[in-house]
């Protein structure tokens, strides 16, 4: 029976009183689920099956409904179905290949759905027979590799990637998917790289390829040698690395663009007028509307590339003057169901059309800038666990970047200046920054701006301690590089100092509440040591002597915060308790800050008394500071310019395990073979004999 005849799914009724007859493909499925070999009475059974339009829903539900005893009874037939699917992938008849790929996906999903509690070995046995599994999977991976690397249909390549994503995400925990052992042995790494290195294939399949690679890298990464990790870490082919960067760049750009459009929608019309009238009292509600789902899969891919491959660091800085990521697609763009913003790949039109009205920064932009803008969006709202994890991953990526010498070199390069328009959280006490007012500066300034922005905007009851620790550590690592290379960065350091002092003030005001959940002394120590970095080494990296004077001015001006901090840590460190040692470290770290305060405060008071001035101006205080440096005695503190390098294992292992689980669930939900319409595929190949 031809494919066209079966589009209706059911045969016409023979009379009004009878039920519609089953499709032939459904009848053939029923034969597979019977005890007898379906090819016994029909030698052409398997040839005919793969000419039939697959009924995914029926096949999956049939697999899920099979009970324990039936599994044993029909296992040979299921094994045979799997075997013939793999064989059909080598057929010249393209419709057979399409139907075999879709049937394999239904097999993987249906068997896993039914046997969630079964061991990986039992599932392998049911699908292909354990004694033949190695050969079956070898054949499958070789044929998928051949299809992905060949000159065949782009739709088939897309279907192959969908099948692989389906296979990788059938279990909630990717590391419990024993079938992936065969994907490790029979690597498709080179096929993925080939897709990424070619402009045309990258445009159509790059997103799926990058997500697939990110997931495969995370298979049992702490338990055994994962060949995908090893191979990714040594890739040095420039077109391939650039291709990977372009896919990530485009996905993040698309997210940023859609977010900006949503932001503009919310700022217009009646809602905007109403919020202005009542003093922005609804700002939180407006912000909630913009809390769109983040693209953690593409972010994970960026992390793995930055973390594992030193050569990828160069990709971060490469400018992209035009949107040349993909050639115009030659096949119909697949239709996809509506999904949350950022979870699906950018449309092919977006990827191939340079005429789109994009952010003007894109003309002199690079992957790092796009990532910083993306991070500035996702780091705004950390109220739920999902967004908190997204922000955490952004900060982990920035940590890896801040530790890399080459990355630091281009971050601080005075010849690479950019205007980076970061998104800022709406706050009543400050005006919205006008894009045109943003100066062109080295990229490290945008990183520091992002850290300051986070510090200022997240001092709240549900305090994100982990994110604050990471922020302060990133700043410290950047300062260490500046000190080491004697880079005098022209940055508004006072904004950073003010943010850090306000953070200390917040910790003091909420001591009891925060101590119930967090070791606030660890964060306080990091903040105080940042000031110690400026005090001890500031003369080597602050832009001018005036900047150093302003540092002392801020410390003296806000002395009450440091005095209160000292009293608090002294109290805790002199009592027996959980935080005694942690508080004691802060006490010792404050020695130079207190020396500055105790030295200059009497001088300032004396100057005011002698000159009969009740309120000194900033310039008068600075004059006192400049004239009294000579008599100030400070202690040399060791280790201020040292830091512990980032290590994923063991500290971050639990985080990445849960993150990959979340991504896998999301990919499984969104990767449906129905996104490549069966009718479109079959229409494409109906003319092929």
């Amino acid at each position: 029976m031809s494919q066209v005849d079966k589009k209706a799914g059911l045969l016409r009724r023979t009379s009004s009183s009878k039920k519609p007859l089953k499709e032939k493909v459904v009848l053939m499925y029923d034969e597979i689920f019977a005890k007898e070999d379906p090819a016994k009475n029909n030698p052409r059974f398997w040839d005919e099956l793969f000419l039939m339009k697959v009924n995914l829903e029926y096949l999956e539900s049939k697999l899920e409904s099979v009970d324990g005893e039936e599994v044993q009874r029909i296992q040979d037939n299921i094994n045979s179905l799997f075997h013939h699917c793999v064989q059909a992938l080598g057929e010249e008849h393209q419709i057979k290949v399409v139907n075999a790929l879709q049937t394999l996906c239904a097999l993987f999903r249906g068997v896993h759905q039914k046997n969630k509690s079964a061991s990986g070995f039992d599932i392998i046995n049911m699908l292909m027979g354990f004694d033949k599994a190695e050969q079956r999977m070898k054949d499958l991976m070789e044929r998928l590799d051949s299809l992905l690397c060949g000159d065949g249909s782009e739709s088939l390549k897309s279907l192959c990637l969908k099948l692989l994503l389906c296979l990788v995400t059938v279990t909630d925990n990717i590391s419990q998917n024993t079938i992936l052992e065969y994907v490790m042995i029979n690597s498709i790494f080179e096929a993925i790289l080939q897709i990424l290195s070619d402009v045309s294939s990258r445009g159509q399949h790059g997103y799926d390829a990058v997500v697939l690679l990110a997931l495969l890298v995370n298979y049992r990464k702490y338990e055994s040698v994962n060949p995908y990790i090893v191979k990714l870490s040594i890739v040095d082919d420039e077109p391939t690395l650039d291709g990977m960067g372009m896919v990530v760049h485009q996905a993040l750009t698309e997210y940023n663009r859609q977010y900006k459009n949503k932001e503009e929608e919310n700022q217009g019309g009646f809602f905007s007028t109403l919020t202005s009238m009542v003093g922005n009292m609804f700002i939180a509600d407006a912000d909630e509307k913009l809390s769109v789902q983040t693209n953690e899969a593409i972010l994970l891919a960026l992390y793995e590339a930055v973390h594992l491959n030193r050569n990828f660091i160069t990709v971060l800085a490469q400018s992209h003057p035009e949107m040349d990521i993909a050639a115009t697609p030659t096949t119909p763009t697949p239709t996809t169901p509506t999904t949350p913003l950022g979870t699906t790949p950018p449309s092919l039109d977006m990827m191939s059309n340079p005429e789109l009205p994009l952010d003007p920064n894109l003309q002199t932009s690079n992957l790092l800038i796009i990532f910083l803008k993306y991070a500035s969006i996702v780091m705004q709202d950390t109220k739920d666990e999902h967004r908190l994890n997204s922000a955490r991953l952004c900060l982990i990526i920035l940590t890896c970047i801040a530790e890399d010498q080459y990355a630091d070199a281009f971050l601080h390069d005075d010849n690479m200046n950019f205007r980076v328009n970061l998104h800022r959280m709406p706050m009543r006490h400050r005006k919205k920054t006008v894009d045109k007012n943003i100066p062109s500066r080295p990229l490290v300034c945008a990183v520091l701006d992002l850290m300051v922005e986070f510090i200022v905007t997240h001092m709240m009851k549900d305090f994100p301690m982990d994110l604050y620790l990471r922020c302060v550590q990133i700043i410290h690592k950047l300062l260490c590089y500046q000190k080491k290379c004697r880079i005098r960065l022209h940055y508004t350091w006072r904004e950073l100092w003010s943010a850090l002092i306000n953070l200390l003030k917040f910790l003091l005001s909420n001591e009891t509440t925060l101590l119930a959940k967090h070791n606030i002394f660890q964060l306080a120590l990091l903040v105080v040591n940042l000031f110690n970095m400026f005090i001890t080494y500031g003369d080597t990296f602050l832009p001018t002597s005036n900047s150093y004077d302003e540092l002392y001015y801020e410390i003296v001006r806000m002395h009450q915060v440091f005095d209160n901090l000292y009293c608090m840590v002294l109290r805790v460190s002199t009592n027996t308790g959980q935080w005694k040692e942690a508080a004691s470290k802060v006490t010792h770290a404050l020695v130079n800050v207190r020396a500055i305060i105790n030295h200059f405060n009497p001088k300032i008071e004396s100057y005011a008394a002698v000159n009969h001035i009740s309120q000194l101006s900033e310039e008068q205080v600075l004059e006192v500071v400049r004239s009294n440096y000579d008599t100030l005695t400070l202690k040399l503190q060791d280790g201020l310019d040292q830091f512990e390098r980032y290590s994923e294992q063991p500290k971050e292992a639990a985080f990445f395990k849960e993150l990959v689980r979340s991504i896998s669930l999301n990919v499984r939900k969104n990767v449906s073979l129905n996104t490549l319409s069966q009718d479109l595929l079959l229409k494409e190949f109906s003319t092929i004999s």
Side-chain angles (χ1 to χ4, degrees):
M1 191 173 288
S2 71
Q3 191 71 51
V4 176
D5 292 334
K6 306 308 297 173
K7 280 187 180 178
L10 295 171
L11 298 174
R12 63 182 180 276
R13 297 170 186 268
T14 54
S15 72
S16 58
S17 62
K18 292 182 180 179
K19 292 181 179 179
L21 299 176
K22 286 183 177 180
E23 299 174 84
K24 184 174 179 181
V25 73
V26 169
L27 292 170
M28 295 182 84
Y29 290 156
D30 288 344
E31 286 187 60
I32 294 170
F33 284 88
K35 187 176 181 181
E36 295 293 324
D37 176 1
K40 184 177 179 181
N41 298 320
N42 179 7
R44 290 186 49 78
F45 179 86
W46 299 110
D47 284 332
E48 290 177 10
L49 177 67
F50 294 113
L51 287 170
M52 300 290 164
K53 179 179 174 181
V54 179
N55 189 325
L56 290 166
E57 188 177 349
Y58 185 84
L59 181 54
E60 283 186 49
S61 63
K62 194 77 175 171
L63 285 163
E64 289 174 30
S65 66
V66 176
D67 62 30
E69 289 183 8
E70 283 183 287
V71 168
Q72 299 296 323
R73 185 166 51 83
I74 64 166
Q75 183 176 313
D76 287 345
N77 286 355
I78 298 297
N79 292 172
S80 190
L81 174 59
F82 188 94
H83 171 55
H84 284 93
C85 281
V86 175
Q87 281 193 319
L89 297 183
E91 293 270 2
E92 290 184 13
H93 201 310
Q94 300 289 278
I95 285 180
K96 285 188 175 182
V97 180
V98 169
N99 288 330
L101 287 166
Q102 296 192 359
T103 304
L104 281 167
C105 189
L107 272 173
F108 285 130
R109 286 199 300 223
V111 170
H112 277 89
Q113 194 66 26
K114 171 64 182 176
N115 300 277
K116 285 184 176 179
S117 60
S119 73
F121 299 108
D122 289 337
I123 286 173
I124 290 169
N125 198 38
M126 182 179 177
L127 274 171
M128 57 197 97
F130 197 73
D131 56 333
K132 297 174 183 175
E134 191 171 333
Q135 187 60 48
R136 295 283 183 267
M137 285 302 297
K138 182 175 184 290
D139 293 342
L140 172 61
M141 298 308 294
E142 283 178 354
R143 283 174 182 165
L144 290 176
D145 185 85
S146 179
L147 287 167
L148 288 171
C149 295
D151 298 325
S153 158
E154 297 302 326
S155 295
L156 274 184
K157 291 182 181 181
S158 185
L159 207 52
C160 288
L161 288 167
K162 301 289 185 196
L163 172 61
L164 285 164
L165 284 168
C166 171
L167 170 58
V168 171
T169 60
V170 284
T171 54
D172 292 352
N173 181 347
I174 190 173
S175 294
Q176 290 177 353
N177 186 353
T178 312
I179 295 177
L180 293 187
E181 285 296 332
Y182 300 109
V183 183
M184 296 293 118
I185 297 166
N186 305 285
S187 174
I188 49 156
F189 184 80
E190 287 70 23
I192 293 173
L193 294 198
Q194 185 172 315
I195 289 169
L196 295 176
S197 62
D198 180 76
V199 174
S200 178
S201 66
R202 179 171 71 236
Q204 299 187 65
H205 315 300
Y207 184 90
D208 282 348
V210 163
V211 172
L212 176 62
L213 180 58
L215 290 170
L216 287 172
V217 162
N218 281 276
Y219 174 72
R220 298 186 179 172
K221 69 193 306 189
Y222 310 121
E223 302 159 36
S224 58
V225 177
N226 180 321
Y228 290 85
I229 293 177
V230 176
K231 291 180 178 183
L232 179 57
S233 67
I234 59 175
V235 173
D236 58 1
D237 179 62
E238 195 174 325
T240 303
L241 293 171
D242 288 348
M244 190 182 299
M246 293 287 264
V247 172
V248 176
H249 181 283
Q250 188 52 48
L252 298 184
T253 298
E254 173 79 345
Y255 180 93
N256 293 350
R257 203 170 71 95
Q258 290 186 42
Y259 180 88
K260 190 172 183 181
N261 290 343
K262 271 183 168 284
E263 194 176 42
E264 287 170 357
E265 284 174 20
N266 277 21
Q267 287 171 356
F270 174 75
F271 183 81
S272 176
T273 308
L274 181 64
T275 53
S276 298
M277 289 169 58
V278 295
N280 291 337
M281 66 184 288
F282 295 130
I283 235 170
D285 294 334
D287 188 45
E288 193 64 31
K289 289 183 181 180
L290 295 175
S291 296
V292 288
Q293 188 170 338
T294 53
N295 192 335
E296 291 173 318
I298 213 73
L299 210 57
L300 178 66
L302 176 60
Y303 164 75
E304 297 295 358
V306 169
H307 179 232
L308 294 174
N309 192 304
R310 289 290 309 277
N311 300 313
F312 189 79
I313 293 292
T314 61
V315 176
L316 295 174
Q318 287 179 1
S319 296
H320 299 293
E322 292 180 3
M323 300 301 294
D324 59 349
I325 290 178
T328 305
T330 55
T331 55
T333 304
T335 55
T336 57
T338 304
T339 51
L341 176 60
T343 60
T344 53
S347 67
L348 295 179
D349 290 340
M350 168 67 186
M351 296 175 83
S352 61
N353 185 359
E355 303 301 324
L356 287 169
L358 298 170
D359 189 318
N361 269 342
L362 282 175
Q363 293 176 9
T364 53
S365 187
N366 57 43
L367 178 53
L368 181 58
I369 291 173
I370 298 303
F371 168 67
L372 289 173
K373 289 183 178 182
Y374 178 85
S376 72
I377 295 170
V378 302
M379 286 168 63
Q380 284 184 37
D381 185 359
T382 58
K383 291 190 179 76
D384 67 32
E385 190 176 359
H386 180 79
R387 295 170 197 148
L388 191 72
N389 287 340
S390 295
R392 185 176 181 181
L393 186 51
C394 284
L395 289 172
I396 290 174
I397 293 169
L398 281 172
T399 300
C400 294
I401 291 171
E403 286 184 7
D404 187 274
Q405 292 292 301
Y406 181 83
D408 281 329
F410 75 71
L411 281 174
H412 292 84
D413 191 340
D414 237 351
N415 298 313
M416 291 176 62
N417 292 334
F418 297 90
R419 287 185 177 86
V420 184
N421 180 27
L422 299 176
H423 293 263
R424 289 157 63 88
M425 188 183 288
M427 297 181 78
R428 296 184 185 88
H429 65 273
R430 68 179 182 188
K431 294 180 180 178
K432 184 175 174 63
T433 306
V434 182
D435 296 5
K436 294 177 182 177
N437 295 339
I438 299 169
S440 187
R441 305 172 297 171
L443 283 174
V444 68
C445 296
V447 178
L448 290 168
D449 284 348
L450 183 62
M451 298 301 99
V452 169
E453 173 68 9
F454 181 85
I455 290 169
V456 168
T457 56
H458 288 76
M459 291 182 241
M460 52 195 180
K461 185 179 178 182
D462 191 11
F463 189 70
M465 174 62 79
D466 177 73
L467 302 190
Y468 268 96
L469 291 170
R470 293 177 193 277
C471 268
V472 177
Q473 286 167 340
I474 289 167
I475 296 167
H476 179 236
K477 287 168 184 179
L478 294 172
L479 291 181
C480 288
Y481 179 81
Q482 291 166 24
K483 179 258 177 184
K484 176 185 172 184
C485 299
R486 294 182 169 266
I487 294 171
R488 297 189 180 277
L489 183 68
H490 288 272
Y491 182 71
T492 50
W493 292 111
R494 288 181 81 160
E495 288 186 10
L496 172 62
W497 299 331
S498 175
L500 293 173
I501 291 170
N502 283 329
L503 175 56
L504 290 177
K505 192 174 180 181
F506 176 82
L507 296 179
L508 288 165
S509 302
N510 297 274
E511 175 194 347
T512 306
T513 308
L514 292 175
L515 271 178
K517 295 181 179 179
H518 309 291
N519 176 4
I520 63 172
F521 303 105
Q522 182 185 6
L523 179 58
L525 180 63
L526 289 173
V527 172
V528 171
N529 277 338
L530 277 188
F531 280 102
N532 285 330
M533 273 287 288
F534 283 106
I535 293 165
T536 308
Y537 302 117
D539 60 330
T540 66
F541 63 81
L542 286 172
T544 64
S545 58
N546 282 346
S547 301
Y548 198 71
D549 300 337
E550 288 169 357
L551 167 67
Y552 278 61
Y553 172 80
E554 285 299 315
I555 291 172
V556 172
R557 185 176 74 87
M558 300 301 291
H559 71 90
Q560 195 63 56
V561 174
F562 293 105
D563 291 344
N564 292 345
L565 176 63
Y566 181 74
C567 290
M568 188 262 278
V569 294
L570 189 64
R571 165 173 49 82
V572 175
S573 64
T574 51
N575 293 324
T576 56
Q578 180 183 358
W579 308 113
K580 179 180 174 69
E581 188 178 344
S584 180
K585 289 179 181 178
V586 183
T587 309
H588 295 307
L590 280 166
V591 60
N592 282 341
V593 172
R594 296 190 69 245
I596 290 168
I597 293 168
N598 293 334
H599 177 74
F600 286 106
N601 261 353
K603 300 282 193 298
I604 291 166
E605 290 169 5
S606 174
Y607 179 92
V610 168
N611 292 281
H612 306 290
I613 304 170
S614 59
Q615 191 80 31
L616 294 183
S617 67
E618 179 177 333
E619 192 50 50
Q620 288 169 327
V621 173
L622 286 170
E623 184 184 330
V624 175
V625 169
R626 291 186 191 108
S627 58
N628 286 280
Y629 276 133
D630 293 346
T631 52
L632 174 64
T633 303
L634 297 175
K635 289 186 177 179
L636 186 63
Q637 294 176 305
D638 295 328
L640 292 175
D641 57 346
Q642 305 295 315
F643 57 82
E644 183 182 353
R645 293 190 66 82
Y646 170 78
S647 175
E648 182 180 318
Q649 171 75 341
K651 288 185 178 178
E652 312 293 349
F655 167 70
F656 278 102
K657 183 180 177 182
E658 287 307 310
L659 180 72
V660 171
R661 179 192 291 268
S662 170
I663 291 170
S664 183
L665 290 169
N666 199 41
V667 170
R668 186 200 309 168
K669 184 173 63 179
N670 290 312
V671 174
S672 165
L673 291 182
N674 292 325
T675 61
L676 270 180
S677 165
Q678 285 180 297
D679 290 337
L680 274 177
L681 281 166
L682 297 171
K683 184 179 180 181
E684 180 182 343
F685 298 122
S686 62
T687 57
I688 301 172
S689 57

